[in-house]
């Protein structure tokens, strides 16, 4: 006789019972409060949610995005909340008291104190909130509602931004029955995508900053001086933020899109230390953000650094000019800006960006092309991971992997072996994309033999047209630090010299010492100080 499937409440990882030894150190940080049966403890949309621990009675959790569907009931010894407890974003569910309910309430401003002073409870809570968000996401309708054509650039940009910033949302194709119903109920807007950020509050094809504000992602840049400003929220930048903040260094992380960097666009990372079974780029980004927030670092996105004014004398700060209008003063600046993906150099490619041509491969993009043939362009690990992800998530599709030279030198051996063994991956070695075709969306690509010496007079050679619905492009990258002063010494690819390379460049300005390993040759350095305020650069960002 088969066993009945476990209910959500029976998931002990997501819904642990707190022990008396864990509750005792919590009491001095908490206040006591009571609610009558049916009273609302917290409402979906409330920001900076407090931590509630049930002493008696219960809190029922309802999902207002899905007609107030029951999610779970927290009884005595349980706590309410998921990752929004730490991110301090608007909560996505509603909590209602069931029976006369007595709660311990810890103000959101003291939550970091709890996590650092009660390590046993901290570990249990951090694991639980991540598992709760996973369960909620798998449940279906959740968070913001997004309606728009799937293979539309603007809709894709909105979905990718929300996904990258782990904002829960449910997307409806505008031609689906539910999509049509929602649009009518919203007054049939003439433009798309349309996003309902709160009940009745709509955003119509908004700029990313407006979307970030509506979704509760945006946090204004600090106006006070900080010890460390990190430009770039990829794995390198977030790692630096964790190390710095854990040592009491006031730290802010800036990113033009959101946490994760290139790694966030990866479907599965298996060669990142500490995760033998692998994890997605989105999971890595989520865990990293929770860790840096635990130690008090702040993250601001989307924001871009327009220019930097390096310090000119002892005691001065560097001044970062941000596109939100803030001038951020920082004693030290760590540049972990990483790289920007190179764009596909093929006739017509720009017209299909985010409408068939993508520079990331996650579930957001994959779900658009179910049972449709696709192409992966590139020979590195990101391309290999994308090829396996697209081949595994739909065995009925054909995945064309286009490699300019031979498969292998730039890719991990384990990926090469999997690709060669996959029955639905077609490998095209020594080939490149020369043109893309389609009306409103991508329909096919033309490929030709790769010639590194090709110019306008080079014969085209034999070509082949591949009917595909999408191309995922991973063909290398360029340094993402064009906003830095032109006077900084760089190599032929545009990367900034640091350490020994800065010394060898002939532009190192100090006579009394050599540069630190990651220190650059800022020509405006104060020249007589033993410990100058310096600008650093991290060149490499792990992308799996």
């Amino acid at each position: 006789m088969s066993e009945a499937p476990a209910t959500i409440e029976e998931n002990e990882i997501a819904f642990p019972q707190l022990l008396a030894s864990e509750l005792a150190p919590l009491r001095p940080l908490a206040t006591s409060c009571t609610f009558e049966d049916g009273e609302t403890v917290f409402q979906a949309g409330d920001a900076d949610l407090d931590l509630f621990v049930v002493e008696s009675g219960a809190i029922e959790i309802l999902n207002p995005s899905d007609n107030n569907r029951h999610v779970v009931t927290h009884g005595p010894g349980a706590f309410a909340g998921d990752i929004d407890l730490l991110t301090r974003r608007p909560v996505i569910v509603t909590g209602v008291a069931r029976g006369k309910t007595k709660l311990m309430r810890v103000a959101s401003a003291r939550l970091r104190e709890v996590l650092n002073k009660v390590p046993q409870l901290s570990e249990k809570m951090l694991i639980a909130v991540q598992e709760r968000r996973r369960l909620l996401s798998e449940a279906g309708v959740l968070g913001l509602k997004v309606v728009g054509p799937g293979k539309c650039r603007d809709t894709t940009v909105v979905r990718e931004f929300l996904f990258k910033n782990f904002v829960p949302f449910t997307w409806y194709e505008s031609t689906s029955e539910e999509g049509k119903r929602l649009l009518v109920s919203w007054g049939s807007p003439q433009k798309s995508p349309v996003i309902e950020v709160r009940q009745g509050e709509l955003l119509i094809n908004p700029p990313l900053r407006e979307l970030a504000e509506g979704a509760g992602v945006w946090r204004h840049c600090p106006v006070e001086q900080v010890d460390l400003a990190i430009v770039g929220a990829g794995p390198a930048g977030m790692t630096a933020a964790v190390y710095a903040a854990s040592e009491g260094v006031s730290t802010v992380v800036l990113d033009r899109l959101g946490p994760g960097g290139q790694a966030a666009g990866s479907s599965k990372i298996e060669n990142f230390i500490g995760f033998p079974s692998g994890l997605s780029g989105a999971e890595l980004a989520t865990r990293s953000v929770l860790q840096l927030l635990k130690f008090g670092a702040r993250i601001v996105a989307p924001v871009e650094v327009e220019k930097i004014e390096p310090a000119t004398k002892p005691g001065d700060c560097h001044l970062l000019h941000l596109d939100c209008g803030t001038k951020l003063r920082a004693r030290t600046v760590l540049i972990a800006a990483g790289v920007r993906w190179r764009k596909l150099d093929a006739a017509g490619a720009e017209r299909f960006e985010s409408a068939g041509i993508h520079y990331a491969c996650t579930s957001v993009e994959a779900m658009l092309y179910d049972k449709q043939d696709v192409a992966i362009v590139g020979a590195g690990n990101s391309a290999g991971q994308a090829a396996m992800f697209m081949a595994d998530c739909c065995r009925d599709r054909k995945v064309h992997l286009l490699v300019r030279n031979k498969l292998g030198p730039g890719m991990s051996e384990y990926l090469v072996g999997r690709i060669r063994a996959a029955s639905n991956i077609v490998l095209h070695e020594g080939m490149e994309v020369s043109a893309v075709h389609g009306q409103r969306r991508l329909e096919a690509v033309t490929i030709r033999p790769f010639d590194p010496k090709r110019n306008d007079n080079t014969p085209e050679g034999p070509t082949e047209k591949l009917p595909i619905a999408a191309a995922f492009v991973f063909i290398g990258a360029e340094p993402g630090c064009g906003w830095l002063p032109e006077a900084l010494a760089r190599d032929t690819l545009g990367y900034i010299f640091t350490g020994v390379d800065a010394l060898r460049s002939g532009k190192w300005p100090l006579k009394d010492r050599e540069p630190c390993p990651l220190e650059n040759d800022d020509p405006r350095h104060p020249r007589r100080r033993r410990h100058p305020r310096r600008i650093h650069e991290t060149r490499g960002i792990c992308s799996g």
Side-chain angles (χ1 to χ4, degrees):
M1 185 174 180
S2 61
E3 295 182 2
T7 63
I8 285 182
E9 280 91 342
E10 293 173 321
N11 186 319
E12 295 181 358
I13 295 175
F15 305 103
Q17 291 295 112
L18 303 185
L19 306 175
S21 59
E22 294 165 336
L23 293 175
L26 193 62
R27 294 186 188 281
L29 303 173
T31 58
S32 181
C33 57
T34 58
F35 291 85
E36 298 298 324
D37 180 49
E39 274 194 275
T40 298
V41 179
F42 55 85
Q43 185 80 40
D46 291 346
D48 297 331
L49 184 67
D50 294 339
L51 170 64
F52 293 98
V53 179
V54 181
E55 293 194 273
S56 62
I59 301 176
E60 183 183 12
I61 304 301
L62 306 174
N63 180 3
S65 297
D66 194 11
N67 298 316
N68 281 325
R69 179 179 58 84
H70 168 84
V71 177
V72 69
T73 298
H74 298 301
F79 72 92
D82 71 349
I83 63 174
D84 291 326
L85 276 172
L86 286 174
T87 63
R88 304 182 73 176
R89 295 177 182 175
V91 64
I92 59 175
V93 293
T94 294
V96 178
R98 294 304 180 209
K100 189 173 181 63
T101 300
K102 183 180 179 182
L103 306 172
M104 276 198 295
R105 181 174 193 161
V106 180
S108 61
R110 304 199 70 176
L111 186 57
R112 188 163 65 87
E113 188 179 353
V114 171
L115 296 177
N116 290 317
K117 286 185 175 180
V118 193
Q120 184 179 354
L121 177 60
S122 170
E123 181 180 1
K124 188 176 285 189
M125 285 183 60
L126 286 172
I127 293 172
V129 297
Q130 293 175 73
E131 179 67 4
R132 289 179 185 185
R133 178 54 60 90
R134 185 188 69 80
L135 291 172
L136 270 174
S137 299
E138 290 179 351
V141 180
L142 186 69
L144 280 61
K145 289 184 170 67
V146 178
V147 180
K151 297 176 183 178
C152 154
R153 178 181 304 186
D154 293 336
T155 302
T156 300
V157 167
V158 165
R159 294 171 65 228
E160 287 180 344
F161 176 81
L162 295 175
F163 177 81
K164 188 175 179 65
N165 287 277
F166 37 91
V167 176
F169 71 96
T170 305
W171 166 66
Y172 301 92
E173 169 65 56
S174 53
T175 57
S176 68
E177 288 302 316
E178 183 61 13
K180 291 177 182 177
R181 188 194 68 77
L182 285 171
L183 289 174
V184 169
S185 70
W186 294 338
S188 301
Q190 296 303 302
K191 294 182 178 180
S192 63
V194 183
I195 306 101
E196 185 181 48
V197 292
R198 277 171 287 278
Q199 188 68 38
E201 184 178 340
L202 304 178
L203 298 177
I204 301 175
N205 195 17
L208 289 187
R209 180 72 49 71
E210 185 181 346
L211 177 61
E213 291 174 351
V217 172
W218 176 251
R219 289 288 184 269
H220 289 289
C221 300
V223 294
E224 71 276 11
Q225 174 184 312
V226 297
D227 294 326
L228 175 63
I230 299 173
V231 184
M238 291 192 290
T239 299
V242 169
Y243 290 158
S246 66
E247 295 297 328
V249 176
S250 61
T251 303
V252 63
V253 184
L254 310 170
D255 198 273
R256 65 187 182 87
L257 192 58
Q262 287 177 277
S266 184
S267 53
K268 190 173 186 181
I269 303 170
E270 294 186 74
N271 58 355
F272 199 90
I273 190 69
F275 299 97
S277 60
L279 78 170
S280 71
E283 288 176 304
L284 176 62
T286 302
R287 295 182 187 202
S288 300
V289 168
L290 292 180
Q291 194 170 8
L292 68 86
L293 292 176
K294 170 185 173 181
F295 290 118
R298 289 170 286 182
I299 183 167
V300 180
V303 67
E304 290 200 57
V305 180
E306 295 181 330
K307 69 174 182 177
I308 183 172
E309 292 183 39
T312 57
K313 59 183 180 181
D316 280 359
C317 287
H318 304 297
L319 193 63
L320 295 171
H321 294 254
L322 310 180
D323 67 352
C324 62
T326 300
K327 293 180 181 179
L328 177 64
R329 295 177 298 125
R331 295 177 60 200
T332 301
V333 177
L334 175 72
I335 302 166
V339 294
R340 298 174 187 263
W341 287 115
R342 289 198 183 103
K343 298 301 179 71
L344 184 65
D345 185 16
E350 184 177 345
R351 186 162 63 94
F352 295 106
E353 281 190 19
S354 297
I357 294 178
H358 302 275
Y359 296 90
C361 185
T362 68
S363 57
V364 171
E365 295 83 20
M367 68 183 299
L368 297 175
Y369 306 104
D370 195 33
K371 298 185 179 180
Q372 295 177 287
D373 293 351
V374 299
I376 311 294
V377 185
N381 277 2
S382 294
Q385 290 159 353
M388 288 307 307
F389 176 61
M390 296 302 287
D392 287 342
C393 70
C394 180
R395 290 289 180 178
D396 295 332
R397 71 155 57 97
K398 187 181 295 183
V399 178
H400 298 275
L401 178 58
L402 307 176
V403 179
R404 282 183 166 185
N405 295 299
K406 290 287 185 180
L407 182 68
M411 187 181 295
S412 296
E413 184 62 27
Y414 78 93
L415 277 173
V416 173
R418 291 180 188 176
I419 287 168
R420 293 193 183 279
S423 60
N424 59 336
I425 295 181
V426 181
L427 179 60
H428 303 265
E429 293 181 300
M431 304 296 286
E432 67 176 354
V433 177
S434 61
V436 300
H437 313 280
Q439 296 299 319
R440 297 183 60 185
R441 53 183 61 94
L442 185 66
E443 297 172 3
V445 295
T446 295
I447 62 175
R448 67 187 177 193
F450 171 63
D451 182 353
K453 299 180 180 179
R454 182 179 300 279
N455 57 43
D456 293 341
N457 298 319
T458 304
E460 181 76 2
T463 63
E464 182 182 356
K465 196 170 185 179
L466 302 177
I468 58 169
F472 298 89
V473 183
F474 305 93
I475 54 175
E478 298 167 345
C481 49
W483 49 272
L484 287 165
E486 290 294 329
L488 294 178
R490 307 170 191 244
D491 64 17
T492 56
L493 297 176
Y495 291 101
I496 298 169
F497 284 131
T498 61
V500 173
D501 291 332
L503 184 65
R504 291 173 179 169
S505 73
K507 292 187 176 183
W508 177 248
L510 303 181
K511 303 299 183 183
D512 58 342
R513 69 171 180 85
E514 294 183 354
C516 297
L518 294 178
E519 190 173 7
N520 70 8
D521 65 340
D522 174 16
R524 295 171 61 179
H525 250 314
R527 292 176 176 268
R528 294 295 177 189
R529 285 187 289 135
R530 294 293 299 172
H531 301 289
R533 305 301 184 203
R534 51 190 177 266
I535 303 176
H536 291 321
E537 182 195 32
T538 299
R539 285 178 55 173
I541 287 186
C542 172
S543 57

